[in-house]
Amino acid sequence: MTDTRQKILSALEEAGGAVVSGGELAEKLGLSRTAVWKQIAALQQEGYQIAAEAKKGYKLIPGEVFSGYEIERRLTTKVLGRPLYFFDSIDSTNIRARQLAAEGAPHGTVVVAARQTAGKGRLSRRFESPEGHGVYLSILLRPSLPLQEVNTATLLAAVAVADTVEELTGVRPSIKWTNDLCLNGRKLCGILTECAVEGESGRVEYMVSGIGLNLYQQIEDFPPELQKIAGSVLSETGVRVARADYAACLLKHFEALFEEGHFPENKKAVLERYRKGLFFLGQTVEVRGFAESYPAKALDIDDEGRLLVERADGRIVALNSGEISIRLPGRHNGYPE
Ligand code: BT5
């Protein structure tokens, strides 16, 4: 957003909903009244509701605007979101972040969208990302991490989202291994981490942590096949907070864990917080692999972020997320996998 436009917006905001005359704005900014009017029209185009009152001036009508500018003005981070790319609509923020990575975009680059037409879940599943209902965001990281640490880095994202929802609503979602966040058994958030690895050295070139968070849907807004399993922060807590606040708050929490905590030096602490958030440890779950499905008791997460389960014959196995999905007994209504 241009400097002049920002100044006009600030003047309208400072007026707290009162009318500000065009002449006053023009004088303050050294513009003609026509130039002010053009800037107001541009602000309206960007989504701000501004009423023009004949012979009086302009007033800002409160309302949520989700844009790159609204996120950036709330950012408290040093690294994440600098730079930040915002799209009203895009195929997938993960796809865009990977393209940017290939073009040399720096560590900390963030891509945010108000809507995705091809939001990706794991194993080519689809993540519903409708306009006006959530935040879809990807963070590009260029950590110097060995490949085996990438898995635990993905768990960090779940802790950061839980911290965010808790800060903004007072309610902490639980984590369903590996990376779904749930409230009242409904999935609010999915996380997809993708990475590029150099073949010879096994060095991680970059990773993209993609986070999709349902904020405002009511259950009937979800497609029928998701109505028993999905929820939004609003449907489960009754709290509605602006999407720009969520995006900025999420980047703050992610940065606190990843940058300030110097991941992986703080890995133990991250894993501890992750474990605390998990909601089915100690319970019997159904493990569904490509080849077989079996009941097992969920015991713990190991230091690589794998789920340790005890099979009926007493054998303890460590499960990787890519190959396995978990169902809770009694939730065969299609509980999120
Ligand atoms: C995930 O996969 O949940 C990871 C989703 C990651 C989405 C973010 S959005 C920003 C970034 N850009 C992308 O393109 N992706 C990332 P998975 O665990 O495989 O779960 C997918 C399954 O969740 C689907 O098969 C549905 O059953 C369910 N699902 C789809 N959309 C949902 C939604 N909006 N809310 C809750 N559940 C959903």
Side-chain angles (χ1 to χ4, degrees):
M1 185 186 290
T2 63
D3 228 33
T4 315
R5 221 169 287 163
Q6 284 178 28
K7 285 185 182 142
I8 292 182
L9 182 61
S10 300
L12 294 175
E13 283 171 345
E14 278 158 23
V19 176
V20 183
S21 86
E24 196 183 305
L25 285 171
E27 197 175 321
K28 204 166 160 184
L29 297 168
L31 297 170
S32 68
R33 279 172 179 249
T34 317
V36 168
W37 175 78
K38 280 191 180 150
Q39 296 294 340
I40 295 279
L43 283 167
Q44 289 168 329
Q45 275 288 317
E46 289 185 31
Y48 297 94
Q49 288 190 53
I50 300 171
E53 298 198 358
K55 299 217 174 91
K56 284 192 189 155
Y58 305 101
K59 76 171 178 195
L60 185 65
I61 297 162
E64 190 215 3
V65 175
F66 190 37
S67 65
Y69 174 68
E70 287 297 330
I71 299 170
E72 279 168 346
R73 70 195 300 204
R74 290 165 168 80
L75 273 189
T76 54
T77 51
K78 289 201 180 74
V79 180
L80 299 193
R82 307 189 184 275
L84 182 135
Y85 295 84
F86 182 90
F87 297 89
D88 289 326
S89 179
I90 197 171
D91 49 359
S92 150
T93 55
N94 265 35
I95 292 176
R96 187 72 195 111
R98 293 181 67 165
Q99 284 165 352
L100 287 164
E103 291 161 14
H107 174 78
T109 299
V110 167
V111 181
V112 188
R115 165 182 183 245
Q116 294 183 121
T117 52
K120 290 199 289 178
R122 292 174 301 159
L123 306 170
S124 309
R125 290 192 282 241
R126 188 179 157 79
F127 189 79
E128 293 297 328
S129 317
E131 160 96 72
H133 281 302
V135 169
Y136 316 107
L137 169 159
S138 299
I139 304 169
L140 167 63
L141 301 165
R142 296 185 182 279
S144 65
L145 283 182
L147 185 55
Q148 59 270 28
E149 296 294 1
V150 168
N151 198 26
T152 31
T154 71
L155 306 185
L156 182 151
V159 176
V161 179
D163 287 349
T164 303
V165 175
E166 184 175 20
E167 179 179 330
L168 296 178
T169 67
V171 184
R172 189 170 184 86
S174 42
I175 302 169
K176 177 171 177 287
W177 181 82
T178 54
N179 260 349
D180 287 347
L181 276 108
C182 297
L183 266 175
N184 307 324
R186 291 180 173 275
K187 174 166 167 176
L188 303 176
C189 172
I191 299 169
L192 174 68
T193 304
E194 299 182 283
C195 69
V197 178
E198 198 182 78
E200 279 80 35
S201 64
R203 193 180 62 89
V204 177
E205 249 175 75
Y206 66 81
M207 55 185 275
V208 167
S209 191
I211 298 164
L213 181 56
N214 302 327
L215 291 179
Y216 307 143
Q217 289 99 331
Q218 295 300 339
I219 301 306
E220 57 276 13
D221 295 326
F222 288 102
E225 69 278 12
L226 295 184
Q227 289 187 0
K228 286 190 174 150
I229 63 173
S232 73
V233 175
L234 180 65
S235 73
E236 302 313 305
T237 68
V239 180
R240 188 184 178 100
V241 175
R243 286 167 290 174
D245 288 323
Y246 271 100
C249 191
L250 177 53
L251 295 178
K252 176 183 79 175
H253 284 295
F254 202 109
E255 181 161 301
L257 294 168
F258 199 87
E259 302 288 332
E260 294 156 26
H262 302 291
F263 189 86
E265 284 163 38
N266 64 344
K267 182 175 131 177
K268 246 186 133 103
V270 170
L271 277 171
E272 205 37 55
R273 298 198 59 213
Y274 181 88
R275 272 191 195 101
K276 269 203 187 135
L278 281 171
F279 76 87
F280 59 70
L281 290 187
Q283 291 184 39
T284 299
V285 296
E286 190 187 329
V287 177
R288 299 186 148 200
F290 291 130
E292 54 170 353
S293 295
Y294 54 89
K297 187 171 169 192
L299 297 178
D300 202 356
I301 300 292
D302 71 10
D303 287 350
E304 267 74 61
R306 293 174 304 183
L307 180 67
L308 300 175
V309 298
E310 185 180 343
R311 298 189 62 149
D313 60 10
R315 264 187 305 147
I316 293 177
V317 279
L319 305 175
N320 282 310
S321 60
E323 306 139 31
I324 291 285
S325 68
I326 297 288
R327 280 181 179 237
L328 301 184
R331 298 302 299 254
H332 288 277
N333 52 2
Y335 189 81
E337 293 180 25

